[in-house]
């Protein structure tokens, strides 16, 4: 049985996460290892809302590594309200026997170790994962790449209104990509992973892309 990081912050998993260093900003994106993450939560305020589902898809060498995908549902201290259940479909009955966050944190940290985190509208993942890791005595490693910002830069052609409205499914469809199970962590993580590869490949036709260049686009 895996130990919860909150109670045991010196586990091998936590130590490996602390030792890992992000790649240099000059690293070409195809040579880096990524963890493309999606969360479902009980709301959007990390001070009171909680993670109820996590999924990660590795990207290596510019390809999705589906066989190493990881996913778990998480039992919150307070069950989601009806309004959020209508979005993600996770009911109290689905979550009642799931591991609590301290027990799920081992899998989450393993999924992130040694990889650059990628997410769509990444402020959600940054806020909730940052809070979860702090409970285990860890700090979220930067950079965090945001496919919403990168897609906005590539697809909006200077139109700020379009840049603000590029939801995951919209961005994927605009690049001719499939949309997998919206508002389901594993489905959204896979859609985001394919979107990330497509965006980086499109930008690479203009100029070489590195971790640093994608991080700068993620801050726009």
């Amino acid at each position: 049985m895996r130990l919860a990081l909150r109670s045991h912050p010196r586990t091998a998993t936590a130590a490996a996460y602390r030792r890992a260093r992000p790649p240099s900003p000059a690293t070409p994106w195809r040579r880096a290892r990524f963890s493309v993450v999606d969360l479902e939560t009980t709301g959007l305020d990390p001070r009171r809302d909680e993670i109820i589902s996590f999924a990660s898809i590795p990207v290596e060498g510019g390809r999705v590594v589906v066989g190493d995908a990881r996913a778990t549902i998480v039992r919150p201290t307070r069950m989601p309200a009806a309004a959020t259940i209508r979005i993600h479909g996770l009911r109290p009955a689905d979550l009642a026997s799931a591991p609590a966050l301290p027990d799920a944190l081992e899998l989450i940290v393993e999924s992130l170790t040694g990889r650059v985190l990628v997410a769509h509208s990444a402020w959600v993942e940054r806020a909730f994962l940052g809070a979860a890791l702090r409970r285990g005595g860890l700090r979220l490693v930067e950079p965090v790449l945001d496919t919403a910002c990168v897609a906005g830069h590539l697809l909006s052609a200077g139109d700020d209104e379009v840049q603000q409205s590029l939801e995951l499914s919209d961005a994927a469809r605009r690049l001719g990509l499939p949309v997998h199970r919206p508002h389901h962590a594993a489905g959204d993580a896979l859609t985001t992973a394919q979107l990330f590869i497509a965006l980086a490949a499109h930008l690479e036709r203009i100029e070489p892309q590195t971790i640093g260049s994608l991080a700068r686009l993620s801050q726009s």
Side-chain angles (χ1 to χ4, degrees):
M1 182 175 71
R2 289 176 172 172
L3 298 176
L5 289 177
R6 183 172 62 181
S7 300
H8 301 270
R10 299 186 184 278
T11 62
T13 299
Y17 185 81
R18 290 190 184 98
R19 285 196 306 269
R21 294 292 179 266
S24 162
T27 304
W29 78 276
R30 291 184 186 273
R31 295 185 184 176
R33 300 166 71 234
F34 303 91
S35 181
V36 184
V37 170
D38 187 80
L39 304 176
E40 298 300 326
T41 64
T42 59
L44 295 177
D45 186 345
R47 295 169 297 181
R48 65 184 183 194
D49 295 314
E50 301 175 68
I51 296 170
I52 53 174
S53 182
F54 167 90
S56 68
I57 303 279
V59 169
E60 298 178 9
R63 296 183 178 182
V64 174
V65 187
V66 176
D68 289 338
R70 297 289 182 268
T72 185
I73 56 174
V74 180
R75 185 180 74 250
T77 57
R78 290 187 301 175
M79 289 298 175
T84 60
I85 293 173
R86 285 193 289 270
I87 297 171
H88 49 63
L90 290 169
R91 305 162 300 170
D94 303 318
L95 301 170
S97 60
L101 182 60
D103 300 303
L105 203 54
E106 189 97 354
L107 179 147
I108 292 172
V109 172
E110 286 178 349
S111 300
L112 301 178
T113 297
R115 297 178 178 273
V116 178
L117 174 60
V118 180
H120 195 83
S121 297
W123 71 268
V124 175
E125 282 70 21
R126 180 183 274 114
F128 280 88
L129 289 177
L133 292 178
R134 283 194 296 275
R135 294 175 192 144
L138 300 173
R139 182 164 53 186
L140 187 65
V141 174
E142 297 284 346
V144 175
L145 306 186
D146 191 335
T147 53
C149 291
V150 178
H153 176 84
L154 182 66
L155 301 175
S156 67
D159 187 332
D160 290 340
E161 189 171 324
V162 171
Q163 191 167 3
Q164 296 292 330
S165 65
L166 277 175
E167 295 184 358
L168 177 59
S169 57
D170 296 332
R173 291 188 181 104
R174 289 186 65 169
L175 288 174
L177 301 171
V179 176
H180 307 276
R181 298 186 69 182
H183 303 298
H184 182 279
D188 282 346
L190 181 56
T191 301
T192 303
Q194 293 176 326
L195 175 62
F196 170 67
I197 293 168
L199 290 168
H202 274 72
L203 289 165
E204 196 171 40
R205 295 172 190 167
I206 303 169
E207 60 180 348
Q209 294 299 307
T210 64
I211 298 301
S213 66
L214 293 171
R216 287 190 292 273
L217 292 175
S218 295
Q219 295 170 357
S220 58

